[in-house]
Amino acid sequence: MQCDWPLLGPLQWMRYVNKQVKVKAGKDEERRGWLLTVDPVSASLVLVDFGEEEEGGRRASVQVVMGHAVEQVEVLQEADEETTVRLQASFLPPETHSLDP
Amino acid sequence: SIPTSAACDADPELLPTEQHARSVLRESFLRCLLSMANKKIQFHMYERVKVEATFRASDIDVLNFQVSDLHTPIGVQKEALIRCQDVISFTFDA
């Protein structure tokens, strides 16, 4: 992907979601991570990197690359189902239980 | 910010699909911003500048971030606005 990232639009950005991507931004800087989402307003990418699992909780480091700085985005691999679920649940609020019977 | 819908000018039938995609992506991004509030964030800016600050808020079109305790090379700025145009990327632990 060499063309102008911010101009791609939601349908094109969607094709990168849940994929492991390599993003070039700024001067020869390269970042990798699972693409959670692309902000349709600023074209910023949210990349999540799952670290080692720790007891009592999973830590993930998140990198947001600003859309205006993106030079190149390359897909490395697709996520398996477990990774997809884990990725998409990253920022969801904790489940609330309904009080209805 | 970015102009709306280019694809849909060509094909109006794509509009609902595109709007749905837009809303899914945006919701996910807003949830990410929400979870950043009051967290320590490392900003990578142009000219290899790296600064750390506590994230507070962003405006809707992601032009500025409001932060607290911005650690600059000449001292700590209690409250500050960071222009997003100056930022390449930022990282935090979820």
Side-chain angles (χ1 to χ4, degrees), chain A residues 1-2 5 16 19-24 30-33 35 45 47 70-77:
Chain A
M1 214 288 310
Q2 197 96 46
W5 177 257
Y16 291 85
K19 310 259 161 75
Q20 191 186 38
V21 294
K22 188 166 86 177
V23 182
K24 263 193 197 162
E30 208 179 88
R31 298 129 218 278
R32 284 159 194 252
L35 186 72
L45 301 92
L47 304 178
V70 172
E71 276 163 21
Q72 197 179 30
V73 185
E74 196 183 310
V75 175
L76 298 175
Q77 61 167 315

Coordinates of all heavy atoms in Angstrom, one line a residue, chain A residues 1-2 5 16 19-24 30-33 35 45 47 70-77:
Chain A
M1 N 0.9 -1.2 0.0 CA 0.0 0.0 0.0 C 0.9 1.2 0.0 O 1.5 1.6 1.0 CB -0.9 0.0 1.2 CG -2.3 0.6 1.1 SD -2.4 2.3 0.9 CE -1.4 2.9 2.3
Q2 N 0.9 1.9 -1.1 CA 1.8 3.0 -1.2 C 1.1 4.3 -1.3 O 1.6 5.4 -1.0 CB 2.7 2.9 -2.5 CG 4.0 3.7 -2.4 CD 5.2 3.0 -1.9 OE1 5.4 1.8 -2.3 NE2 5.9 3.6 -1.0
W5 N -2.8 7.1 2.3 CA -3.6 6.4 3.3 C -4.8 7.2 3.8 O -5.9 6.6 3.9 CB -2.6 6.1 4.5 CG -3.3 5.5 5.7 CD1 -3.7 6.1 6.8 CD2 -3.8 4.1 5.8 NE1 -4.3 5.2 7.7 CE2 -4.4 4.0 7.0 CE3 -3.8 3.0 4.9 CZ2 -5.0 2.8 7.5 CZ3 -4.3 1.8 5.3 CH2 -4.9 1.7 6.6
Y16 N -8.0 -3.8 6.4 CA -6.7 -4.0 7.2 C -7.0 -4.4 8.6 O -6.1 -4.7 9.3 CB -5.9 -2.7 7.1 CG -5.4 -2.3 5.8 CD1 -6.1 -1.7 4.8 CD2 -4.1 -2.7 5.5 CE1 -5.6 -1.4 3.6 CE2 -3.5 -2.4 4.2 CZ -4.3 -1.7 3.3 OH -3.8 -1.4 2.1
K19 N -5.8 -7.5 11.0 CA -4.6 -8.1 10.4 C -3.4 -7.6 11.1 O -3.4 -6.5 11.7 CB -4.5 -7.6 8.9 CG -5.7 -7.8 8.1 CD -5.7 -9.0 7.2 CE -7.0 -9.4 6.8 NZ -7.6 -8.6 5.8
Q20 N -2.3 -8.3 11.1 CA -1.0 -7.8 11.6 C -0.4 -7.0 10.5 O -0.2 -7.5 9.4 CB -0.1 -9.0 12.0 CG 1.1 -8.4 12.8 CD 2.1 -9.5 13.1 OE1 2.4 -10.3 12.3 NE2 2.7 -9.4 14.3
V21 N -0.1 -5.7 10.8 CA 0.4 -4.8 9.8 C 1.8 -4.2 10.2 O 2.1 -4.2 11.3 CB -0.6 -3.7 9.5 CG1 -1.9 -4.2 8.9 CG2 -0.9 -2.9 10.7
K22 N 2.5 -3.8 9.1 CA 3.7 -3.1 9.3 C 3.5 -1.7 8.8 O 3.0 -1.5 7.6 CB 4.8 -3.8 8.5 CG 6.2 -3.3 8.7 CD 7.2 -4.3 8.2 CE 7.4 -4.0 6.7 NZ 8.4 -4.9 6.1
V23 N 3.7 -0.7 9.6 CA 3.4 0.7 9.2 C 4.7 1.5 9.2 O 5.4 1.5 10.1 CB 2.4 1.3 10.2 CG1 2.1 2.8 9.8 CG2 1.1 0.5 10.4
K24 N 4.9 2.2 8.1 CA 6.0 3.1 8.0 C 5.5 4.5 8.2 O 4.5 4.9 7.6 CB 6.6 3.0 6.6 CG 7.8 2.1 6.5 CD 8.6 2.4 5.2 CE 9.6 1.2 5.0 NZ 10.0 1.2 3.6
E30 N 9.4 2.2 11.7 CA 8.6 1.1 11.3 C 7.9 0.6 12.6 O 8.5 0.4 13.6 CB 9.4 0.0 10.7 CG 8.7 -0.8 9.7 CD 9.7 -1.9 9.2 OE1 9.8 -2.9 9.8 OE2 10.3 -1.6 8.1
R31 N 6.6 0.3 12.5 CA 5.9 -0.2 13.6 C 5.1 -1.4 13.2 O 4.6 -1.4 12.1 CB 4.9 0.8 14.2 CG 5.6 2.1 14.7 CD 4.9 3.3 14.2 NE 5.9 4.3 13.9 CZ 6.4 5.2 14.8 NH1 6.0 5.1 16.0 NH2 7.3 6.0 14.5
R32 N 4.9 -2.4 14.1 CA 4.1 -3.6 13.8 C 3.1 -3.8 14.9 O 3.3 -3.4 16.0 CB 5.0 -4.8 13.8 CG 5.8 -5.0 12.5 CD 7.0 -5.9 12.8 NE 8.0 -5.8 11.8 CZ 8.2 -6.7 10.9 NH1 7.5 -7.9 10.9 NH2 9.1 -6.6 9.9
G33 N 2.0 -4.4 14.5 CA 1.0 -4.7 15.5 C -0.3 -5.1 14.8 O -0.4 -5.1 13.6
L35 N -4.0 -4.6 13.8 CA -4.7 -3.3 13.6 C -6.1 -3.5 14.2 O -6.9 -4.3 13.7 CB -4.8 -3.0 12.1 CG -5.5 -1.7 11.8 CD1 -4.6 -0.5 12.1 CD2 -5.9 -1.6 10.3
L45 N -4.2 5.0 12.9 CA -4.3 3.5 13.1 C -4.1 3.2 14.5 O -3.2 3.7 15.2 CB -3.2 2.8 12.3 CG -3.2 3.0 10.7 CD1 -2.3 4.1 10.4 CD2 -2.7 1.7 10.1
L47 N -2.8 0.2 16.7 CA -2.1 -1.1 16.7 C -2.0 -1.6 18.1 O -1.6 -0.9 19.0 CB -0.7 -0.9 16.1 CG -0.6 -0.3 14.7 CD1 0.9 -0.1 14.3 CD2 -1.3 -1.1 13.7
V70 N 1.4 8.6 8.1 CA 1.6 7.3 7.6 C 2.1 7.3 6.1 O 1.6 8.1 5.3 CB 0.2 6.5 7.5 CG1 0.3 5.2 6.8 CG2 -0.3 6.3 9.0
E71 N 3.1 6.5 5.9 CA 3.7 6.5 4.5 C 3.4 5.2 3.8 O 3.1 5.2 2.6 CB 5.2 6.7 4.6 CG 5.5 8.2 4.6 CD 7.0 8.4 5.1 OE1 7.8 7.5 5.0 OE2 7.3 9.5 5.6
Q72 N 3.3 4.1 4.6 CA 3.1 2.8 3.9 C 2.5 1.9 5.0 O 2.9 1.8 6.1 CB 4.4 2.3 3.4 CG 4.2 1.2 2.4 CD 5.6 0.7 1.9 OE1 6.6 0.7 2.6 NE2 5.6 0.2 0.7
V73 N 1.5 1.1 4.5 CA 0.9 0.1 5.4 C 1.0 -1.3 4.6 O 0.6 -1.3 3.5 CB -0.5 0.4 5.7 CG1 -1.1 -0.7 6.7 CG2 -0.7 1.8 6.3
E74 N 1.5 -2.3 5.3 CA 1.7 -3.6 4.7 C 1.1 -4.6 5.6 O 1.3 -4.7 6.8 CB 3.2 -3.8 4.5 CG 3.5 -4.9 3.5 CD 5.1 -5.1 3.5 OE1 5.8 -4.1 3.3 OE2 5.5 -6.2 3.6
V75 N 0.3 -5.5 5.0 CA -0.3 -6.6 5.7 C 0.7 -7.7 5.9 O 1.3 -8.2 4.9 CB -1.6 -7.1 5.1 CG1 -2.1 -8.3 5.8 CG2 -2.7 -6.0 5.0
L76 N 0.9 -8.2 7.1 CA 1.8 -9.3 7.4 C 1.1 -10.6 7.5 O 1.5 -11.6 6.9 CB 2.7 -9.1 8.6 CG 3.5 -7.8 8.6 CD1 4.2 -7.6 10.0 CD2 4.6 -7.9 7.5
Q77 N 0.0 -10.7 8.3 CA -0.7 -11.9 8.4 C -2.1 -11.6 8.9 O -2.4 -10.6 9.5 CB 0.0 -12.9 9.3 CG 0.2 -12.4 10.7 CD 0.6 -13.5 11.6 OE1 0.1 -14.6 11.6 NE2 1.7 -13.3 12.4

